[in-house]
């Protein structure tokens, strides 16, 4: 990760003057707020959130547990690197689903939900480091160890209720946001940062890198909004905006067609996100 990322992390870590307490509860009076601002949509926000979280959980679990098969439903055959990226994308799907469900539908505090959501992603990184998957794909190992250390530290801080947990969660949102923005909008540069040779950056791997990037961005938005005490339902809605924009950009730019992706299968995802935004935001 480059100097800009470390600079941003340093600024966040030392910006404790306005930090809120380490244990950030769910947004106060969320249900009352919903009743006050209700009526803007005939859809119930609870139902919208559960359907969205459920769909993301299923796709995430499939990508996480069977990354070499999950893209076949879209008529895509993964190579070794793209399979690795698909698994990471699955980890981000699960990170998002666990955070959202934990905050909205359990008694878990916001901080602990964020911490618990890092576990699948951290385990995936640890497995791929120890099994040699990262190395066999040509990834530079110092970067992977750094990623694992940051995610694991944030998970520990949030789950243990450390005094610095809120600051750690803020730093996590910044780190994920910066790193995955590069993957979304400059995937080849991001893969180069990982140490991947040019010859190994296949069109499918570049596509998967973009998918990984946009999933990281929505996680960063969700975590950032929640840690800033934004209403939990609105946080979910705000995070859906970049998801919808990124999907639309991929369609407009022809990214799906370039790799033979069955474009018709992306429309239900776009519709799901778009329809969910209305009750979550209004």
């Amino acid at each position: 990760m480059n100097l800009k990322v470390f600079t941003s992390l340093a600024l966040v870590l030392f910006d404790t003057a306005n930090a809120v307490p380490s244990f950030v509860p769910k947004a106060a009076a969320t249900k009352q707020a919903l009743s006050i601002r209700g009526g803007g949509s005939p859809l119930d926000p609870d139902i919208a959130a559960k359907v969205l979280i459920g769909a993301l959980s299923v796709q995430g679990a499939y990508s996480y547990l069977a990354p070499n098969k999950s893209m076949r439903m879209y008529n895509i055959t993964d190579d070794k690197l793209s399979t690795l990226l698909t698994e990471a994308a699955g980890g981000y799907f699960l990170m998002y689903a666990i955070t959202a469900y934990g905050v909205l539908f359990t008694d878990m505090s916001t901080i602990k939900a964020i911490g618990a959501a890092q576990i699948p992603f951290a385990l995936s990184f640890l497995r791929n480091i120890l099994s040699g998957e990262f190395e066999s794909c040509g990834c530079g190992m110092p970067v992977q160890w750094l990623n694992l250390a940051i995610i694991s530290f944030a998970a520990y801080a949030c789950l243990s209720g450390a005094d610095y947990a809120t600051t750690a969660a803020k730093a996590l949102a910044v780190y994920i946001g910066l790193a995955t923005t590069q993957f979304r909008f400059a995937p080849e540069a991001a893969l180069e940062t990982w140490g991947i040779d040019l010859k190994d950056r296949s069109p499918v791997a570049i596509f998967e890198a973009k998918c990984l990037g946009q999933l990281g961005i929505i996680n960063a938005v969700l975590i950032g909004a929640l840690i800033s005490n934004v209403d939990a339902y609105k946080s979910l809605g705000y995070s859906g905006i970049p998801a919808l924009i990124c999907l639309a950009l991929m369609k407009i730019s022809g990214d799906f067609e370039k790799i033979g992706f069955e474009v018709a299968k992306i429309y239900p995802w776009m519709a799901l996100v778009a329809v969910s935004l209305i009750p979550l935001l209004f």
Side-chain angles (χ1 to χ4, degrees), residues 247-260:
L247 287 173
L249 287 175
M250 293 182 88
K251 176 64 182 74
I252 293 169
S253 65
D255 285 336
F256 296 115
E257 290 84 354
K258 289 175 184 176
I259 61 168

Side-chain angles (χ1 to χ4, degrees), residues 1 13 19 26 29-30 33 36 43 62-63 76 78 114 147 160 167 184 186 197 246 258 264 274:
M1 188 52 56
L13 290 169
K26 296 179 183 180
T30 293
I36 292 172
L43 299 177
Y62 193 24
S63 297
I76 301 301
D78 280 334
I114 293 170
N147 285 332
S160 67
T167 302
R184 176 58 187 85
D197 289 336
C246 285
K258 289 175 184 176

Side-chain angles (χ1 to χ4, degrees), residues 225-246:
L226 289 171
I227 211 69
S228 300
N229 285 325
V230 175
D231 171 84
Y233 288 89
K234 282 197 171 184
S235 296
L236 195 62
Y238 290 145
S239 66
I241 295 174
L244 190 59
I245 292 173
C246 285

Side-chain angles (χ1 to χ4, degrees), residues 26-113:
K26 296 179 183 180
T30 293
K31 293 297 182 182
Q32 290 93 324
L34 284 172
S35 64
I36 292 172
R37 65 180 174 87
S41 167
L43 299 177
D44 181 85
D46 274 345
I47 294 175
K50 286 178 179 178
V51 171
L52 180 62
I53 293 169
L56 294 176
S57 297
V58 172
Q59 179 64 65
Y62 193 24
S63 297
Y64 184 81
L65 297 172
N68 61 324
K69 295 181 178 180
S70 67
M71 290 301 288
R72 291 180 189 175
M73 70 175 72
Y74 302 109
N75 197 35
I76 301 301
T77 301
D78 280 334
D79 53 34
K80 193 173 183 65
L81 175 58
S82 59
T83 296
L84 190 70
L85 294 168
T86 297
E87 181 180 339
Y92 272 131
F93 268 122
L94 294 177
M95 183 188 297
Y96 186 90
I98 293 170
T99 301
Y101 190 85
V103 170
L104 288 172
F105 303 115
T106 74
D107 293 328
M108 195 179 297
S109 70
T110 297
I111 282 291
K112 288 202 171 182

Side-chain angles (χ1 to χ4, degrees), residues 77-254:
T77 301
D78 280 334
D79 53 34
K80 193 173 183 65
L81 175 58
S82 59
T83 296
L84 190 70
L85 294 168
T86 297
E87 181 180 339
Y92 272 131
F93 268 122
L94 294 177
M95 183 188 297
Y96 186 90
I98 293 170
T99 301
Y101 190 85
V103 170
L104 288 172
F105 303 115
T106 74
D107 293 328
M108 195 179 297
S109 70
T110 297
I111 282 291
K112 288 202 171 182
I114 293 170
Q118 308 312 307
I119 294 174
F121 201 75
L123 289 176
S124 173
F125 258 84
L126 180 61
R127 185 188 72 81
N128 286 320
I129 287 173
L130 297 180
S131 68
E133 285 297 315
F134 278 129
E135 198 167 11
S136 69
C137 288
C139 297
M141 296 313 297
V143 175
Q144 309 313 322
W145 280 109
L146 175 63
N147 285 332
L148 177 62
I150 291 173
I151 296 294
S152 300
F153 175 78
Y156 169 78
C158 293
L159 289 172
S160 67
D163 292 340
Y164 51 83
T166 299
T167 302
K170 287 181 179 180
L172 178 68
V174 171
Y175 181 76
I176 291 175
L178 290 174
T180 56
T181 294
Q182 184 185 34
F183 268 89
R184 176 58 187 85
F185 296 104
E188 294 199 55
L191 292 175
E192 184 178 359
T193 300
W194 269 24
I196 306 298
D197 289 336
L198 180 62
K199 62 181 177 61
D200 295 322
R201 300 174 210 163
S202 67
V204 175
I206 292 171
F207 176 84
E208 290 289 357
K210 289 184 177 182
C211 293
L212 174 68
Q214 61 194 40
L215 288 166
I217 290 170
I218 68 172
N219 271 284
V221 173
L222 179 63
I223 294 171
L226 289 171
I227 211 69
S228 300
N229 285 325
V230 175
D231 171 84
Y233 288 89
K234 282 197 171 184
S235 296
L236 195 62
Y238 290 145
S239 66
I241 295 174
L244 190 59
I245 292 173
C246 285
L247 287 173
L249 287 175
M250 293 182 88
K251 176 64 182 74
I252 293 169
S253 65

